[in-house]
Structures are given as structure tokens and as C-alpha cells.
Amino acid sequence: MIIDCHGHYTTAPKELQAFRDEQIKGNDTPAPLKISDDQIRETIQNGQLKMQQDRGSDITIFSPRAAGMGHHIGTGKTSEVWTDVCNTLIHRVVKLFPKNFIGVAQLPQTPGVPPSNSIKELERCVNEFGFIGCNLNPDPSGGKWTDPPMTDKKWWYPFYEKMVELDVPAMIHVSAACNPAFHTTGSHYLNGDTAAFMQCLTSDLFKNFPTLKFIIPHGGGAVPYHWGRFRGLAQDMKLPPIGELLLNNIYFDTCVYHLPGQELLTKVIPLDNILFASEMIGAVRGIDPETGHPYDDTKRYIEQLALAPDDKARLYEGNARRVYGRLSSQLTRQFAAST
Amino acid sequence: MIIDCHGHYTTAPKELQAFRDEQIKGNDTPAPLKISDDQIRETIQNGQLKMQQDRGSDITIFSPRAAGMGHHIGTGKTSEVWTDVCNTLIHRVVKLFPKNFIGVAQLPQTPGVPPSNSIKELERCVNEFGFIGCNLNPDPSGGKWTDPPMTDKKWWYPFYEKMVELDVPAMIHVSAACNPAFHTTGSHYLNGDTAAFMQCLTSDLFKNFPTLKFIIPHGGGAVPYHWGRFRGLAQDMKLPPIGELLLNNIYFDTCVYHLPGQELLTKVIPLDNILFASEMIGAVRGIDPETGHPYDDTKRYIEQLALAPDDKARLYEGNARRVYGRLSSQLTRQFAAST
């Protein structure tokens, strides 16, 4: 089985954006969203499901559009209403396609509001919807980086306690940049990944939460490319080796859109810490003229690597089942429901 | 000849920091700095010069300590006084060791103050000191990213006009982070590199300044590792291929502290766009237990790559002579002065 741990509902019916546009205009609670099951079926069957089938993956760990989270827009109330709508829509996708998608929650974060505010929605998504993780935004301000680092005890720890209790990991994923210094998918995403990794490296977060798990997407931002730098920085700070310090808790996905990047990733990061992902349909949608194939068809690169069958099986499936503690039982439930 | 394009005077005598500490306390114009030639000789002979000789490089393109620039501290006046002192010290190093160092200028940037404010200091450093480039900070706020992007016409173009007129390139280099979200050398440096590259990608900067040249340090931040992503993003935006769009103007250094990173860099980036560098004595100072050699001995990695002799010569010397338009004539002058 091939599990893609990083997919967003980027093809949602246009009614969703119309709802959001109302919010952006200042109306926190627009008229209830009306999207039919047929509309959802159409967007999925012609979108993510078609590409799963074309490319040969089986299950996508699926969440609302990351750039759409827009935690910097409006107030805490705005984010709560928006997040409810987005997560409910993911739940409907999963109910319609239980053999192909499994849910991950957006959180109603807002700059200046403690993340404990997101506990209720996480519980709802996990306990009522069967979601198996969440996307945690290390910078709800959208590129101004005004909130405390992810390692701040008072700010973040109550939320981590709930994650650990529920046995769900978080993908560390910023949303759209509203700072003109950053391009959302070209620099803000990658910079968010790198910043979060370094926050973890310089803290005792995982000493305090030994079972807390983070997935750093986009191949870990700049981290694997600069693995020597990070190993050396940890060493200069008299910290334990990175493996011991971070690799029981931090995982990287394979959203790297060319073969040399995938070669590097799998060369420097232990195979136990890499989860297959493509982020399709996502940031990069074209065909690479150098290969004749889509940039984000990441499976194609991985198939070109000289991985042992057991390593490949872990990267494609085993690691995801281990990192997402609720994945296997939830899949069993979803498969049973679909027969 | 081996030219290291990225070295900072990180070993300056302690009087320099004492001067700066006075400024940080609020005194913009402390008593004049008193450092003797012997003090400078000692720090260089036991520091950067010793390491040049140990590792087998010949010339270092040398500038004030990057984390020390601290453009966010104080006012425009604070930065002007501090920059004068730092650049004058580099000039003294170069005068004492004209066969081993060649100068690059710090700039008196300050958040909220237009970079045209730095023109006078650039002219002084180039015309009076024989410096061949400058370090340009894309985020003088130190991690708050409050100034306009590097591609903003009104803000940045007057400074670029002067760079082009003087035929000097800029290394894009942030300084210390004062935002707790970022670690200076672990995430802010790399994120600054990636952000600046993406700003250039999404602008017509090099159409307007076809001879403007930027060096993106630290191996280009996250860029080469995500080369497929950047190629794909440019393509989705209907821009010309990145080679055409950016690679007549943007260059990457080799400050990547492990072999797999260097392999990737030289595999995906054309050899004409890579300049040898180590940033020693810099961010990472330890010995890599995996190799038994210093992390930042970047020449050692490059020697392990299967580069053709001509490619290696360009990476070590030819590209630097081409990108730094004043390098060759200045070196000739310095060599003549030293005999």
C-alpha cells in the first residue's frame, strides 16, 4: 500500500471560496455553505482520486488547503467558523471516498490567541470525524512571525498535551504569506519548515514530550540539504547528536520535486524518518520538460532510487502507520464501512 | 588560485565588541576604536590566515562579521558609525595582508531607511579602500521583515544603480535575528537566502538591471535542494526558464557543510554559477565525527566531486573573477603593493 501523507483539498467547489470571501469582507458567519455530495464527488474524481490512480498511490492523508487556512485573517471567531466549515468538508470527502482518503484537521489558530484555543476542534475532528492528525501553523501571522516559537511552554504546551493524549501527530505547515517579503509556496512554506526545525533543535520540547511527533513537509525545507550545518550547530551547542535529539519525534515528507533532491533526502535522513508525500494537487502543477512528467509526481523519483524493498515499504507505508498512531485502526474502520 | 568568496572578520579584537556594546547602551559615537596593527596581525595569523594555509586556499573575500552588522540596533546614525568602524578595520586587514584578503563592505542599513542611504559608504569602500563588493541585507529588521522586498523599485533601485556603476556585486546576507522565531545561523540566514531568491524570481529586477549581480550564500539556502520546485513555480507563472530568468545575475556559494549537499549543488546548478566559499571562521566550527574533518572545510568536499579540471578552476577562481568585476585589477594592485 502506498500512503501519501500530504494532500490538500485544493479543488474544493467554488462555493467554499465564496463563503470565505464573505468572511474576508468582514462577515464572520456567512450563510451556511451549500455544497452537494455530487459536487464533492466531481472535484475528487476528476482531481485527487484520478491522480492517485494515474500515479499508483492508494491513500491520501487529506486536509483543507494550506494556503487557504489564512489564520491571519479576521479574529479568533473568523478562524473558528472557517475551520469548522473546512474540516467538515474534509470529513464529507472521507465519507464519500473512505478507501482513498483519511482526514487531517485544520486548526482555528489566530495570531495572539493561544493554541489551546484549538483543542476543542482537534477533539471534534479526531473523536467525531476519525481524523488522524492536524496541520499546525508555526506562524499564524502569515509571515510576520509575531507569536512565540513553537517551543514556548506557556503558549504551546497545553495543545501538545492534547495531541499526545489523542495520539495524533502534527504536520508543521504555514499558510499564505501576507508579508510581501515572502512568496507563499516559494519561500514562506520552506522557511516555515526550516524555522520550526531549528526551534525544536534549540529546545527541550521532546524531552518534555517524548511521544510528540511532527512531520516537517516540503522535504524538510532547507534542513536535509544543510544536514551537516545542523549537525555541526547542535555539536557546537554541546547538544546530543541530532538523531538522538530530534529523530524520535521529527519526520520529513518527500515533497521535493526533482530527482537530485530525493537522492539527497534519502541519503542523509534515516529511512525511518521519511514519509512518502506529493502534495498533489498543490504548489507546482506543470510537466517538467527535463523529464516529461509532472514535477510533483514524487513516486516516480523514489522508484528511481536504489532503495531496498524493505526501506521502500517503510517509506511508502510503514512509517506513516507508525507516525500516525490512529491510522491503521481508522483505515480498518473506513474500509469496513465502504464494503 | 583558490578564492574563497565568503569570509567574515569573526575574530576581531575584543575592543571592537566593546565599542559596539557602548552603542547598544545608547551611545551612538563611542570613543574612537583603538586597535593596533599587532593585534590585527595576531587575530588573522592565528585565525583566518592559518586556516587558509592549512586548508589550501589563497585569497578570502573578506567582510565584517555578518551577525555583527545588527542593522536593527539603534538608528541610521548608529549604523553609519558602526559600519565606518567595521569597514575601516577590514581595510586595515587587507593592507596588512594584501596577498590573502580582499575587502567587501558592510552597509549602514537601517529598517525604514532607504538603502540609498548606503551609497556614500559603498563609494568610500570601493573608491578609497579598493573593496570589490558589498553585503546587502534583505531584512535590516533582523527577522521581522518589515522593509519592502529587494525588488521594490523606489526603495532599492537607486542603490542598484550605484552598484552597477561601480561594477560591484552584492552578497545577499541577513544579520543576527532579533525575532525569537529564528535562530541566526540555523534558520534566519538560510531563510533570508531563500526569500531573496524568490523575490528575484517573481520580479523584473534583472530585466531592468541586466548587469546587476547577487551572490546567494550558504549554498543558496533551500534553493538548489528544491530546484525542481522553483523551476516548476516559474513555469506555472509563465516565466522564462530559470536559467534565462536568473542565472545571468544570481550565483551561489559553496557554504554547505557535508558532501551530499555539495553533490546536489554541483549537480543541479550550472558550474558557471557556483563560487567557492567556506565562511570560515563562521557559523559551524567543530569537527564532523563522520569524517574527522571540520564541517566548514568545504574544499575537502569539492575535491571529492568528480569535477572536470576546467569546471573546478571556474568554481575555485574563474567565476569569482567574473562576478566580482574589480577583483582581478584589485588583486594585481594588492600583489604589487606587497612586494
Side-chain angles (χ1 to χ4, degrees):
Chain A
M1 177 179 281
I2 296 184
I3 301 169
D4 183 335
C5 81
H6 190 177
H8 303 292
Y9 194 11
T10 49
T11 57
K14 63 181 189 319
E15 285 81 353
L16 183 67
Q17 190 56 46
F19 182 98
R20 183 58 164 169
D21 289 342
E22 277 296 306
Q23 283 203 314
I24 292 169
K25 278 187 217 150
N27 177 10
D28 273 346
T29 52
L33 186 62
K34 281 189 191 152
I35 290 177
S36 69
D37 282 356
D38 279 346
Q39 282 180 287
I40 295 176
R41 276 194 201 93
E42 196 194 330
T43 59
I44 294 290
Q45 279 166 345
N46 296 323
Q48 285 83 355
L49 183 62
K50 182 174 181 307
M51 285 170 81
Q52 268 189 13
Q53 289 162 344
D54 287 352
R55 298 181 182 183
S57 66
D58 300 289
I59 296 276
T60 301
I61 297 179
F62 206 53
S63 58
R65 191 169 68 94
M69 299 189 297
H71 293 124
H72 59 280
I73 294 170
T75 64
K77 174 71 177 168
T78 323
S79 268
E80 278 173 31
V81 172
W82 174 234
T83 301
D84 175 345
V85 163
C86 290
N87 286 333
T88 303
L89 202 55
I90 294 296
H91 179 48
R92 292 179 63 194
V93 171
V94 173
K95 276 203 298 185
L96 290 169
F97 301 94
K99 295 176 84 165
N100 302 97
F101 297 93
I102 189 162
V104 152
Q106 173 176 324
L107 298 171
Q109 295 179 250
T110 296
V113 175
S116 55
N117 187 53
S118 295
I119 288 176
K120 208 173 120 199
E121 179 66 3
L122 182 68
E123 286 183 313
R124 181 177 83 115
C125 289
V126 172
N127 294 328
E128 296 178 29
F129 292 168
F131 286 11
I132 60 166
C134 60
N135 291 331
L136 196 58
N137 186 345
D139 171 33
S141 76
K144 296 177 178 169
W145 293 92
T146 48
D147 271 3
M150 300 198 70
T151 51
D152 185 275
K153 288 187 170 61
K154 199 171 158 198
W155 198 253
W156 290 96
Y157 276 25
F159 186 77
Y160 298 150
E161 281 163 16
K162 185 53 67 177
M163 282 177 57
V164 166
E165 181 197 315
L166 293 171
D167 191 19
V168 294
M171 180 171 279
I172 308 304
H173 205 310
V174 295
S175 186
C178 64
N179 183 331
F182 304 121
H183 181 276
T184 296
T185 54
S187 55
H188 188 45
Y189 280 15
L190 303 176
N191 289 359
D193 303 336
T194 308
F197 180 84
M198 197 62 199
Q199 289 175 8
C200 294
L201 190 151
T202 50
S203 82
D204 51 5
L205 177 60
F206 300 123
K207 202 180 275 181
N208 296 327
F209 291 101
T211 62
L212 184 68
K213 292 190 176 71
F214 289 162
I215 299 109
I216 315 260
H218 320 108
V223 173
Y225 175 48
H226 286 285
W227 198 237
R229 186 179 189 91
F230 290 99
R231 288 197 291 111
L233 285 168
Q235 186 174 321
D236 285 355
M237 293 178 214
K238 317 282 183 214
L239 294 168
I242 282 190
E244 197 180 307
L245 185 67
L246 297 176
L247 293 184
N248 295 311
N249 307 86
I250 284 187
Y251 302 84
F252 300 98
D253 82 7
T254 66
C255 292
V256 177
Y257 297 153
H258 62 153
L259 181 60
Q262 298 278 356
E263 287 171 342
L264 177 129
L265 173 63
T266 50
K267 195 181 285 179
V268 303
I269 304 297
L271 261 291
D272 278 336
N273 292 77
I274 306 176
L275 272 63
F276 175 69
S278 69
E279 204 174 356
M280 66 88 176
I281 302 168
V284 176
R285 303 186 181 196
I287 306 286
D288 185 348
E290 292 184 9
T291 66
H293 297 287
Y295 286 100
D296 67 357
D297 187 354
T298 52
K299 177 160 167 273
R300 203 173 269 278
Y301 309 124
I302 290 160
E303 292 297 319
Q304 292 174 67
L305 304 173
L307 296 181
D310 175 61
D311 285 342
K312 209 154 75 172
R314 282 183 291 153
L315 187 151
Y316 277 145
E317 178 181 358
N319 295 341
R321 288 187 184 269
R322 189 161 45 85
V323 172
Y324 293 85
R326 304 173 79 101
L327 193 154
S328 291
S329 58
Q330 178 62 24
L331 267 191
T332 304
R333 266 192 297 277
Q334 290 186 193
F335 273 57
S338 73
T339 51
Chain B
M1 176 181 281
I2 296 183
I3 300 169
D4 183 336
C5 81
H6 189 176
H8 302 294
Y9 193 13
T10 49
T11 56
K14 64 181 189 318
E15 285 81 353
L16 183 67
Q17 189 56 45
F19 182 97
R20 183 59 164 170
D21 289 343
E22 277 296 305
Q23 282 203 315
I24 292 168
K25 279 187 218 152
N27 177 11
D28 274 347
T29 50
L33 185 64
K34 281 191 191 152
I35 289 178
S36 69
D37 282 357
D38 278 346
Q39 282 179 287
I40 295 176
R41 275 194 201 95
E42 196 194 330
T43 60
I44 293 290
Q45 278 165 347
N46 296 322
Q48 284 83 354
L49 183 62
K50 182 175 182 306
M51 285 170 81
Q52 268 190 12
Q53 289 163 345
D54 287 352
R55 297 180 182 185
S57 66
D58 299 291
I59 296 276
T60 300
I61 297 179
F62 206 54
S63 59
R65 190 168 71 93
M69 298 189 298
H71 293 125
H72 59 280
I73 294 170
T75 64
K77 173 71 177 170
T78 323
S79 269
E80 278 174 31
V81 172
W82 174 234
T83 302
D84 174 346
V85 162
C86 290
N87 285 333
T88 302
L89 201 56
I90 295 295
H91 179 47
R92 291 178 64 194
V93 171
V94 173
K95 275 203 300 185
L96 290 170
F97 300 94
K99 294 177 85 164
N100 302 96
F101 297 92
I102 188 161
V104 151
Q106 174 177 324
L107 297 171
Q109 294 177 251
T110 297
V113 175
S116 56
N117 187 52
S118 295
I119 289 176
K120 207 174 122 198
E121 179 65 4
L122 182 68
E123 285 183 312
R124 180 178 83 115
C125 289
V126 172
N127 293 329
E128 296 177 28
F129 292 169
F131 285 11
I132 61 167
C134 59
N135 292 332
L136 196 57
N137 186 344
D139 171 32
S141 76
K144 297 178 178 169
W145 293 91
T146 48
D147 272 3
M150 298 198 71
T151 50
D152 185 276
K153 289 186 169 61
K154 199 171 159 197
W155 198 254
W156 289 97
Y157 276 26
F159 187 77
Y160 299 151
E161 281 162 16
K162 184 53 67 174
M163 281 177 59
V164 166
E165 181 198 316
L166 292 172
D167 191 19
V168 294
M171 179 170 279
I172 308 303
H173 205 310
V174 295
S175 185
C178 63
N179 183 330
F182 304 120
H183 181 277
T184 296
T185 53
S187 55
H188 188 45
Y189 279 15
L190 303 176
N191 288 359
D193 303 336
T194 308
F197 180 84
M198 198 61 199
Q199 289 176 8
C200 294
L201 190 151
T202 51
S203 82
D204 52 4
L205 177 60
F206 299 124
K207 203 180 275 181
N208 296 327
F209 291 100
T211 62
L212 185 67
K213 292 190 177 72
F214 288 162
I215 299 107
I216 315 259
H218 321 108
V223 173
Y225 176 48
H226 287 285
W227 198 236
R229 186 179 189 88
F230 290 99
R231 287 196 294 109
L233 285 168
Q235 187 174 320
D236 285 356
M237 293 178 214
K238 317 284 183 211
L239 294 168
I242 283 192
E244 202 180 301
L245 185 67
L246 297 176
L247 293 186
N248 295 311
N249 307 87
I250 284 186
Y251 302 83
F252 301 99
D253 82 6
T254 65
C255 292
V256 177
Y257 297 152
H258 63 152
L259 181 59
Q262 298 279 356
E263 287 170 342
L264 177 128
L265 173 64
T266 50
K267 195 181 285 179
V268 302
I269 303 298
L271 260 291
D272 279 337
N273 292 77
I274 306 176
L275 273 62
F276 175 70
S278 68
E279 205 175 355
M280 65 87 174
I281 299 169
V284 177
R285 305 188 179 194
I287 305 287
D288 185 348
E290 292 184 9
T291 65
H293 298 288
Y295 286 99
D296 68 356
D297 187 355
T298 52
K299 179 162 166 271
R300 204 173 270 277
Y301 309 124
I302 290 160
E303 291 298 319
Q304 293 174 68
L305 304 173
L307 296 180
D310 176 60
D311 285 343
K312 208 154 76 172
R314 281 182 293 152
L315 188 152
Y316 277 146
E317 177 180 359
N319 295 341
R321 287 186 185 268
R322 190 162 45 85
V323 172
Y324 293 85
R326 304 173 79 103
L327 193 155
S328 291
S329 58
Q330 179 62 24
L331 268 191
T332 303
R333 267 192 296 278
Q334 290 187 192
F335 274 57
S338 74
T339 52

